[in-house]
Amino acid sequence: GRDGASADGALCPQEIRKVVQALEQTAREILTLLQGVHQGPGFQHISKKCQKAREHFGTVRTQMESLKTKFPADQYYRFHEHWRFVLQRLVFLAAFVVYLESETLVTREAVAEILGIEADRERGFHLDIEDYLSGVLTLASELARLAVNSVTAGDYSRPLRISAFINELDSGFRLLNLKNDSLRKRYDGLKYDVKKIEEVVYDLSIRGLNKEATVGAGGEK
Amino acid sequence: MKEGRGENLQILCSRKLNPKPIYTTGQVLHEGGTVPLAVCAGWCGSVLSQLDLNGIFSLTASGGKRSYIDSLSFISSPISAAVCELSETYFKERYGSGGFRKRKHDNFPHGQRREEKENVNPPSALMTSFKSFQLELDTRHDKYERLVKLSRDITIESKRTIFLLHRFISAPNGEEILNESEVKLDAVRRKIKQVAQELIGEDMYQFHRAVSPGLQEYVEAVSFQYFIKTRSLISVEEINKQLIFTAEDREETTNMTSNSHDKQPHTWSLRVTPVDYLLGVADLTGELMRLCISSVGNGDIDTPFELSQFLRQIYDGFTFIGNTGPYEVSKKLYTLKQSLAKVENACYTLKVRGSEIPKHMLADVFSTKTELIDQEEGLP
């Protein structure tokens, strides 16, 4: 059984793979759930969807507990590649939920808490910073999509808020000195998301559709 | 016109925010006098929000136009793009035109798309956390680079040791060369000690890719030396035993990361991973094949047979692992097979023709072969 703590899973990548597959399944379920926000009626039920997603994260936490037992704690990076992808996906999902709820960027500590893991390597199974940043970049492209769809659904103020958020995110990423690795490649895609959202905002403003929206965005930081 | 001419430029800006687009006017204060400047449209708005509103942005530039621009590059690009734009006219007046615009666009390709963000105030929570991410990533990358450099040094020194040991067979002064190789390997171990120090409190596997090539090469060198001395294969425990270091000089440990505890034991060690060991041993077989061929060249008839037996044992060991091991190991298996075949063929030739060819001509028979092999081999 995948939830039973095996006595010695030390050198047993199959066991890790099994748990990771279960995590991937849960991640897909959460994604499917959250995809609903892109559809017209979904905009009214955002908070309900977030609530449901948060329940699913309970499953994630149990699965993470199980994953931790499958290998020695000090060999995290030996098996890192096994769960890297799914962890980034889960970071994205957690960040998406938090954004939908509060329109802020989830902190690394908060994601770790949602996923039932540590933010700090010293304390056990942790969230690697590059995985966190990767997940955040996925959020950016999802928000670019959300900006488009919220206009379709008649919500003209959201794109402005998304634009402000993404721009701040972009400035944040420009503080980083990235190496020529996968994170860098992901980051290179951010400019297209920024561009996409700017186009949406432009379309709204030349048609005067942002008038009442500006009032709403004024309160937003 | 370069040396020591420090200029203090102050750029005074004001802006009109509404309606869009944003226009900014600016002027440069230069040595008390003012120089009127260009009006730059659009994206300057976002720049100015990062300066104080109506603020004064000052910087000191030394040297001529070129280094003035260079000195801007440490400021984040939108600011410097704007400042460049502002100061363009100024420099045209002062130094004449040409070459400037082109250079500007090379340096600041992102300058144009910053229009929208007026509400970025530097001390926001997001920016603060990203500043800490910057620090964390930089620390990690720096450590990685240091380890890569150490690994390269280890590789180079290990390779030299191997070349030195190849001379052992052809030279009569065996003891001397063995001693020298020991000295060299000690130097390599000192480098490995530095690696171990870098890795205190870290997850070895996180930086494994940085150090792995060096460690493999070290395994190759040390096992080659061990073979020459004892005609047997060094074990991974034996290798690791030599990689336990005691603290004699702690000068390297001072710049450790903060998460290394104060009460570190005064010994620290580095463990060669099983995979590194296997790959190193696989490389060793290549060296042994060379050793075999050259020993034939020296008229040594016994060594090739001994070697072929030894290599066969290693090969059997590797086939036992087969492709249950990591990908790199199964890749080496192919080269290993080739090396073994070469040695076996050499033994065959010796056996069949050894009795026919006079001893002094053996060298000639194999020397052509050696060249052929070396060509195929390239740099292993």
Side-chain angles (χ1 to χ4, degrees), chain A residues 26-54:
Chain A
T26 319
R28 271 195 299 274
E29 282 162 18
I30 301 175
L31 185 62
T32 318
L33 184 68
L34 291 176
Q35 288 305 301
V37 302
H38 289 289
Q39 269 153 29
F43 279 94
Q44 278 95 57
H45 301 117
I46 283 183
S47 65
K48 216 162 116 198
K49 287 193 158 51
C50 290
Q51 214 176 343
K52 264 200 169 156
R54 286 219 178 238

PDB file of all heavy atoms in Angstrom, chain A residues 26-54:
ATOM      1  N   THR A  26      -3.560  13.639  -7.988  1.00  0.00           N
ATOM      2  CA  THR A  26      -4.218  14.685  -7.194  1.00  0.00           C
ATOM      3  C   THR A  26      -4.034  16.046  -7.838  1.00  0.00           C
ATOM      4  O   THR A  26      -4.976  16.854  -7.895  1.00  0.00           O
ATOM      5  CB  THR A  26      -3.630  14.721  -5.771  1.00  0.00           C
ATOM      6  OG1 THR A  26      -3.423  13.387  -5.319  1.00  0.00           O
ATOM      7  CG2 THR A  26      -4.553  15.445  -4.824  1.00  0.00           C
ATOM      8  N   ALA A  27      -2.829  16.307  -8.325  1.00  0.00           N
ATOM      9  CA  ALA A  27      -2.550  17.597  -8.959  1.00  0.00           C
ATOM     10  C   ALA A  27      -3.463  17.811 -10.160  1.00  0.00           C
ATOM     11  O   ALA A  27      -3.996  18.902 -10.372  1.00  0.00           O
ATOM     12  CB  ALA A  27      -1.088  17.672  -9.380  1.00  0.00           C
ATOM     13  N   ARG A  28      -3.680  16.747 -10.923  1.00  0.00           N
ATOM     14  CA  ARG A  28      -4.570  16.867 -12.081  1.00  0.00           C
ATOM     15  C   ARG A  28      -5.990  17.200 -11.649  1.00  0.00           C
ATOM     16  O   ARG A  28      -6.676  18.009 -12.271  1.00  0.00           O
ATOM     17  CB  ARG A  28      -4.561  15.552 -12.874  1.00  0.00           C
ATOM     18  CG  ARG A  28      -3.486  15.500 -13.940  1.00  0.00           C
ATOM     19  CD  ARG A  28      -3.745  14.368 -14.915  1.00  0.00           C
ATOM     20  NE  ARG A  28      -3.739  13.063 -14.278  1.00  0.00           N
ATOM     21  CZ  ARG A  28      -2.630  12.340 -14.078  1.00  0.00           C
ATOM     22  NH1 ARG A  28      -1.460  12.802 -14.472  1.00  0.00           N
ATOM     23  NH2 ARG A  28      -2.687  11.166 -13.493  1.00  0.00           N
ATOM     24  N   GLU A  29      -6.407  16.559 -10.552  1.00  0.00           N
ATOM     25  CA  GLU A  29      -7.763  16.829 -10.075  1.00  0.00           C
ATOM     26  C   GLU A  29      -7.917  18.297  -9.667  1.00  0.00           C
ATOM     27  O   GLU A  29      -8.910  18.944  -9.994  1.00  0.00           O
ATOM     28  CB  GLU A  29      -8.095  15.908  -8.890  1.00  0.00           C
ATOM     29  CG  GLU A  29      -8.452  14.498  -9.325  1.00  0.00           C
ATOM     30  CD  GLU A  29      -8.360  13.490  -8.189  1.00  0.00           C
ATOM     31  OE1 GLU A  29      -8.361  13.909  -7.015  1.00  0.00           O
ATOM     32  OE2 GLU A  29      -8.272  12.282  -8.479  1.00  0.00           O
ATOM     33  N   ILE A  30      -6.913  18.795  -8.959  1.00  0.00           N
ATOM     34  CA  ILE A  30      -6.983  20.198  -8.533  1.00  0.00           C
ATOM     35  C   ILE A  30      -6.998  21.112  -9.750  1.00  0.00           C
ATOM     36  O   ILE A  30      -7.760  22.079  -9.821  1.00  0.00           O
ATOM     37  CB  ILE A  30      -5.790  20.550  -7.620  1.00  0.00           C
ATOM     38  CG1 ILE A  30      -5.781  19.659  -6.386  1.00  0.00           C
ATOM     39  CG2 ILE A  30      -5.845  22.020  -7.201  1.00  0.00           C
ATOM     40  CD1 ILE A  30      -4.586  19.836  -5.492  1.00  0.00           C
ATOM     41  N   LEU A  31      -6.149  20.767 -10.726  1.00  0.00           N
ATOM     42  CA  LEU A  31      -6.080  21.597 -11.930  1.00  0.00           C
ATOM     43  C   LEU A  31      -7.427  21.634 -12.637  1.00  0.00           C
ATOM     44  O   LEU A  31      -7.916  22.710 -13.007  1.00  0.00           O
ATOM     45  CB  LEU A  31      -4.996  21.061 -12.869  1.00  0.00           C
ATOM     46  CG  LEU A  31      -4.738  21.895 -14.118  1.00  0.00           C
ATOM     47  CD1 LEU A  31      -4.249  23.278 -13.729  1.00  0.00           C
ATOM     48  CD2 LEU A  31      -3.721  21.226 -15.017  1.00  0.00           C
ATOM     49  N   THR A  32      -8.023  20.473 -12.805  1.00  0.00           N
ATOM     50  CA  THR A  32      -9.328  20.405 -13.466  1.00  0.00           C
ATOM     51  C   THR A  32     -10.335  21.292 -12.747  1.00  0.00           C
ATOM     52  O   THR A  32     -11.102  22.030 -13.364  1.00  0.00           O
ATOM     53  CB  THR A  32      -9.850  18.953 -13.457  1.00  0.00           C
ATOM     54  OG1 THR A  32      -8.773  18.091 -13.761  1.00  0.00           O
ATOM     55  CG2 THR A  32     -10.965  18.782 -14.450  1.00  0.00           C
ATOM     56  N   LEU A  33     -10.297  21.198 -11.430  1.00  0.00           N
ATOM     57  CA  LEU A  33     -11.206  21.992 -10.619  1.00  0.00           C
ATOM     58  C   LEU A  33     -11.007  23.487 -10.864  1.00  0.00           C
ATOM     59  O   LEU A  33     -11.952  24.240 -11.105  1.00  0.00           O
ATOM     60  CB  LEU A  33     -10.935  21.648  -9.152  1.00  0.00           C
ATOM     61  CG  LEU A  33     -11.818  22.261  -8.092  1.00  0.00           C
ATOM     62  CD1 LEU A  33     -13.213  21.675  -8.221  1.00  0.00           C
ATOM     63  CD2 LEU A  33     -11.247  21.967  -6.725  1.00  0.00           C
ATOM     64  N   LEU A  34      -9.724  23.901 -10.847  1.00  0.00           N
ATOM     65  CA  LEU A  34      -9.436  25.330 -10.958  1.00  0.00           C
ATOM     66  C   LEU A  34      -9.638  25.855 -12.374  1.00  0.00           C
ATOM     67  O   LEU A  34      -9.843  27.046 -12.583  1.00  0.00           O
ATOM     68  CB  LEU A  34      -8.013  25.625 -10.491  1.00  0.00           C
ATOM     69  CG  LEU A  34      -7.767  25.458  -8.987  1.00  0.00           C
ATOM     70  CD1 LEU A  34      -6.304  25.693  -8.669  1.00  0.00           C
ATOM     71  CD2 LEU A  34      -8.638  26.417  -8.195  1.00  0.00           C
ATOM     72  N   GLN A  35      -9.531  24.958 -13.348  1.00  0.00           N
ATOM     73  CA  GLN A  35      -9.734  25.403 -14.726  1.00  0.00           C
ATOM     74  C   GLN A  35     -11.123  25.994 -14.911  1.00  0.00           C
ATOM     75  O   GLN A  35     -11.371  26.764 -15.828  1.00  0.00           O
ATOM     76  CB  GLN A  35      -9.547  24.229 -15.692  1.00  0.00           C
ATOM     77  CG  GLN A  35      -8.112  23.783 -15.860  1.00  0.00           C
ATOM     78  CD  GLN A  35      -7.209  24.905 -16.286  1.00  0.00           C
ATOM     79  OE1 GLN A  35      -7.399  25.521 -17.313  1.00  0.00           O
ATOM     80  NE2 GLN A  35      -6.218  25.214 -15.460  1.00  0.00           N
ATOM     81  N   GLY A  36     -12.048  25.588 -14.036  1.00  0.00           N
ATOM     82  CA  GLY A  36     -13.410  26.102 -14.099  1.00  0.00           C
ATOM     83  C   GLY A  36     -13.496  27.614 -14.031  1.00  0.00           C
ATOM     84  O   GLY A  36     -14.449  28.197 -14.540  1.00  0.00           O
ATOM     85  N   VAL A  37     -12.508  28.258 -13.421  1.00  0.00           N
ATOM     86  CA  VAL A  37     -12.601  29.717 -13.276  1.00  0.00           C
ATOM     87  C   VAL A  37     -12.503  30.428 -14.620  1.00  0.00           C
ATOM     88  O   VAL A  37     -12.880  31.590 -14.739  1.00  0.00           O
ATOM     89  CB  VAL A  37     -11.512  30.283 -12.341  1.00  0.00           C
ATOM     90  CG1 VAL A  37     -11.605  29.633 -10.986  1.00  0.00           C
ATOM     91  CG2 VAL A  37     -10.133  30.126 -12.923  1.00  0.00           C
ATOM     92  N   HIS A  38     -12.006  29.742 -15.632  1.00  0.00           N
ATOM     93  CA  HIS A  38     -11.878  30.407 -16.926  1.00  0.00           C
ATOM     94  C   HIS A  38     -13.214  30.518 -17.656  1.00  0.00           C
ATOM     95  O   HIS A  38     -13.341  31.250 -18.628  1.00  0.00           O
ATOM     96  CB  HIS A  38     -10.893  29.654 -17.813  1.00  0.00           C
ATOM     97  CG  HIS A  38      -9.487  29.797 -17.347  1.00  0.00           C
ATOM     98  ND1 HIS A  38      -8.787  30.965 -17.450  1.00  0.00           N
ATOM     99  CD2 HIS A  38      -8.664  28.923 -16.736  1.00  0.00           C
ATOM    100  CE1 HIS A  38      -7.574  30.796 -16.956  1.00  0.00           C
ATOM    101  NE2 HIS A  38      -7.468  29.575 -16.498  1.00  0.00           N
ATOM    102  N   GLN A  39     -14.194  29.736 -17.213  1.00  0.00           N
ATOM    103  CA  GLN A  39     -15.468  29.755 -17.899  1.00  0.00           C
ATOM    104  C   GLN A  39     -16.404  30.781 -17.284  1.00  0.00           C
ATOM    105  O   GLN A  39     -16.367  31.003 -16.075  1.00  0.00           O
ATOM    106  CB  GLN A  39     -16.104  28.374 -17.841  1.00  0.00           C
ATOM    107  CG  GLN A  39     -15.701  27.534 -19.035  1.00  0.00           C
ATOM    108  CD  GLN A  39     -15.745  26.072 -18.722  1.00  0.00           C
ATOM    109  OE1 GLN A  39     -16.530  25.656 -17.881  1.00  0.00           O
ATOM    110  NE2 GLN A  39     -14.900  25.304 -19.380  1.00  0.00           N
ATOM    111  N   GLY A  40     -17.209  31.346 -18.136  1.00  0.00           N
ATOM    112  CA  GLY A  40     -18.118  32.412 -17.727  1.00  0.00           C
ATOM    113  C   GLY A  40     -18.690  32.281 -16.330  1.00  0.00           C
ATOM    114  O   GLY A  40     -18.393  33.099 -15.460  1.00  0.00           O
ATOM    115  N   PRO A  41     -19.485  31.244 -16.103  1.00  0.00           N
ATOM    116  CA  PRO A  41     -20.115  31.137 -14.776  1.00  0.00           C
ATOM    117  C   PRO A  41     -19.107  30.912 -13.655  1.00  0.00           C
ATOM    118  O   PRO A  41     -19.411  31.200 -12.502  1.00  0.00           O
ATOM    119  CB  PRO A  41     -21.045  29.922 -14.930  1.00  0.00           C
ATOM    120  CG  PRO A  41     -20.605  29.215 -16.155  1.00  0.00           C
ATOM    121  CD  PRO A  41     -19.898  30.182 -17.013  1.00  0.00           C
ATOM    122  N   GLY A  42     -17.931  30.421 -14.039  1.00  0.00           N
ATOM    123  CA  GLY A  42     -16.928  30.122 -13.017  1.00  0.00           C
ATOM    124  C   GLY A  42     -16.512  31.337 -12.218  1.00  0.00           C
ATOM    125  O   GLY A  42     -16.119  31.237 -11.063  1.00  0.00           O
ATOM    126  N   PHE A  43     -16.636  32.514 -12.815  1.00  0.00           N
ATOM    127  CA  PHE A  43     -16.151  33.711 -12.141  1.00  0.00           C
ATOM    128  C   PHE A  43     -16.942  34.027 -10.879  1.00  0.00           C
ATOM    129  O   PHE A  43     -16.434  34.657  -9.970  1.00  0.00           O
ATOM    130  CB  PHE A  43     -16.183  34.905 -13.096  1.00  0.00           C
ATOM    131  CG  PHE A  43     -15.009  34.926 -14.009  1.00  0.00           C
ATOM    132  CD1 PHE A  43     -15.066  34.362 -15.265  1.00  0.00           C
ATOM    133  CD2 PHE A  43     -13.802  35.487 -13.573  1.00  0.00           C
ATOM    134  CE1 PHE A  43     -13.959  34.364 -16.094  1.00  0.00           C
ATOM    135  CE2 PHE A  43     -12.694  35.482 -14.399  1.00  0.00           C
ATOM    136  CZ  PHE A  43     -12.774  34.915 -15.661  1.00  0.00           C
ATOM    137  N   GLN A  44     -18.181  33.559 -10.878  1.00  0.00           N
ATOM    138  CA  GLN A  44     -18.964  33.822  -9.678  1.00  0.00           C
ATOM    139  C   GLN A  44     -18.603  32.875  -8.537  1.00  0.00           C
ATOM    140  O   GLN A  44     -18.875  33.149  -7.395  1.00  0.00           O
ATOM    141  CB  GLN A  44     -20.466  33.680  -9.993  1.00  0.00           C
ATOM    142  CG  GLN A  44     -21.048  34.915 -10.617  1.00  0.00           C
ATOM    143  CD  GLN A  44     -21.042  34.798 -12.149  1.00  0.00           C
ATOM    144  OE1 GLN A  44     -21.596  33.873 -12.711  1.00  0.00           O
ATOM    145  NE2 GLN A  44     -20.386  35.749 -12.806  1.00  0.00           N
ATOM    146  N   HIS A  45     -17.975  31.759  -8.904  1.00  0.00           N
ATOM    147  CA  HIS A  45     -17.795  30.725  -7.883  1.00  0.00           C
ATOM    148  C   HIS A  45     -16.338  30.543  -7.498  1.00  0.00           C
ATOM    149  O   HIS A  45     -15.937  29.469  -7.052  1.00  0.00           O
ATOM    150  CB  HIS A  45     -18.368  29.405  -8.391  1.00  0.00           C
ATOM    151  CG  HIS A  45     -19.823  29.498  -8.728  1.00  0.00           C
ATOM    152  ND1 HIS A  45     -20.295  29.310  -9.989  1.00  0.00           N
ATOM    153  CD2 HIS A  45     -20.890  29.809  -7.963  1.00  0.00           C
ATOM    154  CE1 HIS A  45     -21.612  29.486 -10.010  1.00  0.00           C
ATOM    155  NE2 HIS A  45     -21.995  29.786  -8.783  1.00  0.00           N
ATOM    156  N   ILE A  46     -15.570  31.569  -7.703  1.00  0.00           N
ATOM    157  CA  ILE A  46     -14.140  31.423  -7.467  1.00  0.00           C
ATOM    158  C   ILE A  46     -13.844  30.972  -6.040  1.00  0.00           C
ATOM    159  O   ILE A  46     -13.082  30.029  -5.814  1.00  0.00           O
ATOM    160  CB  ILE A  46     -13.401  32.740  -7.798  1.00  0.00           C
ATOM    161  CG1 ILE A  46     -13.271  32.855  -9.319  1.00  0.00           C
ATOM    162  CG2 ILE A  46     -12.035  32.769  -7.151  1.00  0.00           C
ATOM    163  CD1 ILE A  46     -12.516  34.052  -9.798  1.00  0.00           C
ATOM    164  N   SER A  47     -14.482  31.617  -5.084  1.00  0.00           N
ATOM    165  CA  SER A  47     -14.116  31.303  -3.704  1.00  0.00           C
ATOM    166  C   SER A  47     -14.522  29.880  -3.341  1.00  0.00           C
ATOM    167  O   SER A  47     -13.829  29.200  -2.584  1.00  0.00           O
ATOM    168  CB  SER A  47     -14.746  32.308  -2.739  1.00  0.00           C
ATOM    169  OG  SER A  47     -16.144  32.179  -2.783  1.00  0.00           O
ATOM    170  N   LYS A  48     -15.628  29.447  -3.919  1.00  0.00           N
ATOM    171  CA  LYS A  48     -16.063  28.083  -3.648  1.00  0.00           C
ATOM    172  C   LYS A  48     -15.062  27.078  -4.213  1.00  0.00           C
ATOM    173  O   LYS A  48     -14.709  26.083  -3.583  1.00  0.00           O
ATOM    174  CB  LYS A  48     -17.442  27.868  -4.286  1.00  0.00           C
ATOM    175  CG  LYS A  48     -18.361  26.968  -3.468  1.00  0.00           C
ATOM    176  CD  LYS A  48     -19.802  27.152  -3.898  1.00  0.00           C
ATOM    177  CE  LYS A  48     -20.381  25.890  -4.486  1.00  0.00           C
ATOM    178  NZ  LYS A  48     -21.593  26.141  -5.280  1.00  0.00           N
ATOM    179  N   LYS A  49     -14.595  27.390  -5.429  1.00  0.00           N
ATOM    180  CA  LYS A  49     -13.634  26.497  -6.070  1.00  0.00           C
ATOM    181  C   LYS A  49     -12.335  26.433  -5.280  1.00  0.00           C
ATOM    182  O   LYS A  49     -11.703  25.381  -5.144  1.00  0.00           O
ATOM    183  CB  LYS A  49     -13.373  26.955  -7.496  1.00  0.00           C
ATOM    184  CG  LYS A  49     -14.540  26.676  -8.424  1.00  0.00           C
ATOM    185  CD  LYS A  49     -14.117  26.841  -9.868  1.00  0.00           C
ATOM    186  CE  LYS A  49     -15.021  26.087 -10.823  1.00  0.00           C
ATOM    187  NZ  LYS A  49     -16.449  26.346 -10.655  1.00  0.00           N
ATOM    188  N   CYS A  50     -11.928  27.586  -4.772  1.00  0.00           N
ATOM    189  CA  CYS A  50     -10.699  27.625  -3.987  1.00  0.00           C
ATOM    190  C   CYS A  50     -10.847  26.773  -2.738  1.00  0.00           C
ATOM    191  O   CYS A  50      -9.925  26.056  -2.334  1.00  0.00           O
ATOM    192  CB  CYS A  50     -10.358  29.053  -3.591  1.00  0.00           C
ATOM    193  SG  CYS A  50      -9.839  30.040  -4.983  1.00  0.00           S
ATOM    194  N   GLN A  51     -12.004  26.867  -2.161  1.00  0.00           N
ATOM    195  CA  GLN A  51     -12.248  26.099  -0.948  1.00  0.00           C
ATOM    196  C   GLN A  51     -12.116  24.604  -1.233  1.00  0.00           C
ATOM    197  O   GLN A  51     -11.481  23.865  -0.493  1.00  0.00           O
ATOM    198  CB  GLN A  51     -13.652  26.421  -0.458  1.00  0.00           C
ATOM    199  CG  GLN A  51     -13.768  26.416   1.041  1.00  0.00           C
ATOM    200  CD  GLN A  51     -15.171  26.846   1.446  1.00  0.00           C
ATOM    201  OE1 GLN A  51     -15.926  27.421   0.651  1.00  0.00           O
ATOM    202  NE2 GLN A  51     -15.516  26.561   2.681  1.00  0.00           N
ATOM    203  N   LYS A  52     -12.736  24.208  -2.342  1.00  0.00           N
ATOM    204  CA  LYS A  52     -12.666  22.800  -2.732  1.00  0.00           C
ATOM    205  C   LYS A  52     -11.215  22.377  -2.982  1.00  0.00           C
ATOM    206  O   LYS A  52     -10.780  21.301  -2.576  1.00  0.00           O
ATOM    207  CB  LYS A  52     -13.491  22.572  -3.999  1.00  0.00           C
ATOM    208  CG  LYS A  52     -14.894  22.073  -3.720  1.00  0.00           C
ATOM    209  CD  LYS A  52     -15.421  21.418  -4.982  1.00  0.00           C
ATOM    210  CE  LYS A  52     -16.690  20.657  -4.743  1.00  0.00           C
ATOM    211  NZ  LYS A  52     -17.471  20.514  -5.985  1.00  0.00           N
ATOM    212  N   ALA A  53     -10.498  23.255  -3.677  1.00  0.00           N
ATOM    213  CA  ALA A  53      -9.101  22.941  -3.988  1.00  0.00           C
ATOM    214  C   ALA A  53      -8.312  22.750  -2.701  1.00  0.00           C
ATOM    215  O   ALA A  53      -7.481  21.852  -2.585  1.00  0.00           O
ATOM    216  CB  ALA A  53      -8.490  24.057  -4.826  1.00  0.00           C
ATOM    217  N   ARG A  54      -8.597  23.600  -1.737  1.00  0.00           N
ATOM    218  CA  ARG A  54      -7.883  23.500  -0.458  1.00  0.00           C
ATOM    219  C   ARG A  54      -8.136  22.161   0.216  1.00  0.00           C
ATOM    220  O   ARG A  54      -7.265  21.628   0.894  1.00  0.00           O
ATOM    221  CB  ARG A  54      -8.295  24.641   0.461  1.00  0.00           C
ATOM    222  CG  ARG A  54      -7.696  25.977   0.038  1.00  0.00           C
ATOM    223  CD  ARG A  54      -7.288  26.779   1.251  1.00  0.00           C
ATOM    224  NE  ARG A  54      -6.664  28.041   0.867  1.00  0.00           N
ATOM    225  CZ  ARG A  54      -5.438  28.359   1.240  1.00  0.00           C
ATOM    226  NH1 ARG A  54      -4.723  27.541   1.977  1.00  0.00           N
ATOM    227  NH2 ARG A  54      -4.931  29.512   0.863  1.00  0.00           N
TER     228      ARG A  54
END
